[in-house]
């Protein structure tokens, strides 16, 4: 009888452990790839192409499409910025409700290479921001995204940047709404935005 | 007048000449080579192409060379755990009977040290080196910065 009670207790413990394990696994799986999550309000203070300090607070009232990238990136960044440009074109009159931001994760080099010419080449609506290292790291932390420098002797200047390639949507009240994972077609981003106006 | 006509003929024929060249070497067919316009020459250009291996022997693309860039290399965009990075690809497998695409978000040629900015409508040659088939040169069309795929009537994308 005692043994049976112990057996039962072990079974209960085992099942509980399985549930907890599955629960945490499910929760961590969502990290990084989650398209929606608990509400938070990312903030940033970064200099724009002309050196003026811009903050997240000044964009309240608009949807923000935020991409963290670097201008020396030949594949991922142009592809995403092209999608953003297409979305801005297709929004028509609603374009004024959306502010696309390109946040440089390689600010020193990007300022040297010219940020304004880069963003304008994709779409004049895209605003390029390049802060200090500390400001950039703070912005990335606030958006809960990762970037890092990878030394690579074969890359221009001896390094390349690894980064979260998602496109982040921030609501008019500053709240993080979702991310569009890398490769989301412009048409899908467009229809998501249009459903929110 | 003669010169004018010659010039006009050259200009008119130019787009047809550069558009979507297909070259073959051995069992390999190389087509849909394209690139994107760059903003100045200070940033790297990109090179995309499609390779079909109709033979029964595996091959691999092991390098690219072009007069358009001082340091062209093969790279692969890898998105792992939500982080994109761009490791150098030592070689890109071209297995027997298969079609391999260098395309946005995957394998691509990174053209560092551009000799001049790439402008939409330009074209430039790229020599591809294959482990077994050897070298072959293809003309690459420079498309708009916002192009998403090759601008060919028969392109499957």
């Amino acid at each position: 009888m005692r043994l049976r009670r112990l057996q039962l207790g072990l079974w209960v413990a085992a099942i509980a452990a399985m549930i907890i394990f599955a629960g945490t696994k499910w929760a961590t799986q969502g990290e990084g790839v989650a398209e929606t999550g608990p509400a938070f309000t990312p903030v940033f203070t970064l200099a724009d192409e002309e050196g003026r300090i811009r903050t997240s607070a000044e964009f309240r009232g608009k949807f923000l499409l935020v991409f963290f990238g670097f201008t020396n990136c030949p594949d991922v960044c142009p592809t995403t910025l092209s999608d953003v440009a297409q979305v801005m074109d297709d929004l028509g009159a609603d374009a004024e409700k959306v502010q696309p931001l390109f946040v440089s994760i390689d600010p020193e080099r990007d300022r040297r290479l010219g940020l304004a010419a880069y963003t304008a080449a994709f779409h004049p609506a895209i605003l390029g921001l390049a802060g200090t290292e500390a400001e950039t790291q703070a912005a990335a932390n606030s958006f809960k995204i990762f970037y890092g420098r990878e030394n690579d002797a074969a890359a221009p200047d001896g390094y390349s940047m690894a980064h979260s390639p998602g496109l982040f949507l921030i609501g008019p009240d500053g709240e993080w709404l979702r991310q569009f994972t890398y490769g989301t077609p412009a048409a899908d981003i467009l229809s998501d935005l249009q459903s929110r106006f | 007048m003669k010169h004018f006509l010659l010039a006009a003929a050259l200009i008119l024929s130019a787009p047809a000449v550069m558009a979507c060249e297909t070259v073959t070497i051995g069992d390999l067919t190389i087509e849909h080579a394209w690139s994107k316009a760059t903003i100045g020459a200070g940033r790297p250009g990109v090179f995309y192409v499609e390779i079909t291996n109709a033979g029964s022997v595996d091959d691999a693309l092991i390098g690219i060379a072009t007069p358009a860039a001082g340091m062209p290399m093969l790279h692969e965009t890898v998105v792992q755990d939500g982080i994109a990075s761009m490791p150098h690809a030592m070689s890109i497998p071209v297995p027997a009977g298969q079609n391999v695409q260098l395309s946005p978000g995957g394998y691509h040629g990174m053209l560092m040290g551009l000799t001049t900015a790439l402008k939409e409508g330009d074209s430039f040659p790229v020599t591809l080196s294959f482990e077994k088939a050897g070298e072959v040169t293809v003309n690459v069309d420079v498309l708009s910065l916002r192009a998403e795929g090759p601008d060919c009537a028969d392109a499957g994308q």
Side-chain angles (χ1 to χ4, degrees):
Chain A
M1 189 61 195
R2 263 186 95 105
L3 196 65
R4 237 166 118 187
R5 200 174 286 167
L6 184 67
Q7 217 171 17
L8 192 73
L10 281 172
W11 270 112
V12 169
I15 290 165
M18 259 168 66
I19 290 169
I20 290 165
F21 175 74
T24 49
K25 187 146 188 184
W26 178 77
T28 49
Q29 253 178 3
E31 261 170 45
V33 292
E35 297 205 334
T36 57
F40 68 101
T41 302
V43 292
F44 59 82
T45 302
L46 299 161
D48 68 12
E49 295 144 348
E50 267 115 47
R52 283 176 307 211
I53 299 296
R54 314 296 291 261
T55 68
S56 37
E58 72 182 85
F59 297 104
R60 295 288 187 271
K62 283 192 172 194
F63 287 91
L64 297 182
L65 277 175
V66 186
F67 180 72
F68 287 77
F70 63 112
T71 74
N72 236 326
C73 149
D75 189 42
V76 169
C77 308
T79 307
T80 303
L81 288 177
S82 298
D83 288 340
V84 170
Q86 192 61 50
V87 168
M88 294 311 290
D89 280 351
D90 294 346
L91 278 169
D94 286 330
E96 62 182 27
K97 297 174 185 166
V98 180
Q99 174 63 57
L101 299 177
F102 174 83
V103 179
S104 171
I105 53 164
D106 188 13
E108 199 184 311
R109 182 165 62 178
D110 282 349
R111 268 197 303 269
R112 177 159 50 82
L113 290 170
L115 198 55
Y118 183 77
T119 54
F122 289 95
H123 200 282
I126 301 173
L127 178 64
L129 300 174
T132 63
E133 288 293 341
E135 288 164 347
T136 307
Q137 188 61 61
N141 291 347
S142 185
F143 276 82
K144 302 184 182 182
I145 66 120
F146 168 86
Y147 74 89
R149 185 172 161 140
E150 290 188 333
N151 289 325
D152 178 355
D157 308 321
Y159 71 96
S160 185
M161 303 298 295
H163 60 119
S164 306
L167 180 66
F168 307 102
L169 179 63
I170 307 301
D173 55 358
E175 201 164 275
W176 192 92
L177 294 175
R178 63 166 292 174
Q179 79 155 305
F180 299 101
T181 51
Y182 173 66
T184 303
D188 293 0
I189 300 170
L190 178 71
S191 61
D192 179 285
L193 281 169
Q194 285 170 332
S195 73
R196 296 174 190 269
F197 295 147
Chain B
M1 190 60 193
K2 216 173 184 177
H3 283 135
F4 171 77
L5 282 177
L6 188 66
L10 279 173
I11 288 163
L12 289 173
S13 65
V17 172
M18 59 163 260
C20 303
E21 189 181 75
T22 299
V23 297
T24 58
I25 179 167
D27 291 325
L28 304 181
T29 302
I30 292 97
E31 58 191 334
H32 302 150
W34 64 288
S35 178
K36 290 183 192 178
T38 62
I39 307 138
R43 296 189 182 91
V46 73
F47 165 67
Y48 299 119
V49 71
E50 192 176 333
I51 304 157
T52 307
N53 183 351
S56 54
V57 180
D58 293 346
D59 207 331
L61 177 62
I62 54 172
I64 50 172
T66 174
M71 202 166 125
M73 292 183 84
L74 297 171
H75 281 261
E76 182 180 16
T77 294
V78 178
V79 182
Q80 196 172 11
D81 298 330
I83 307 298
S85 61
M86 204 178 59
H88 173 211
M90 291 306 289
S91 75
I92 298 174
V94 185
Q98 288 191 35
N99 169 281
V100 173
Q101 293 193 359
L102 276 66
S103 60
Y107 286 118
H108 57 273
M110 182 165 167
L111 310 177
M112 290 175 280
L114 288 176
T115 45
T116 175
L118 301 178
K119 292 197 173 56
E120 185 176 349
D122 286 356
S123 75
F124 60 91
V126 167
T127 300
L128 298 90
S129 298
F130 292 96
E131 199 173 61
K132 298 193 178 106
E135 291 188 352
V136 64
T137 300
V138 63
N139 276 310
V140 182
D141 301 340
V142 181
L143 307 183
S144 105
L145 187 65
R146 285 169 57 176
E148 291 178 347
D151 189 17
C152 307
D154 60 337
Q157 18 186 319

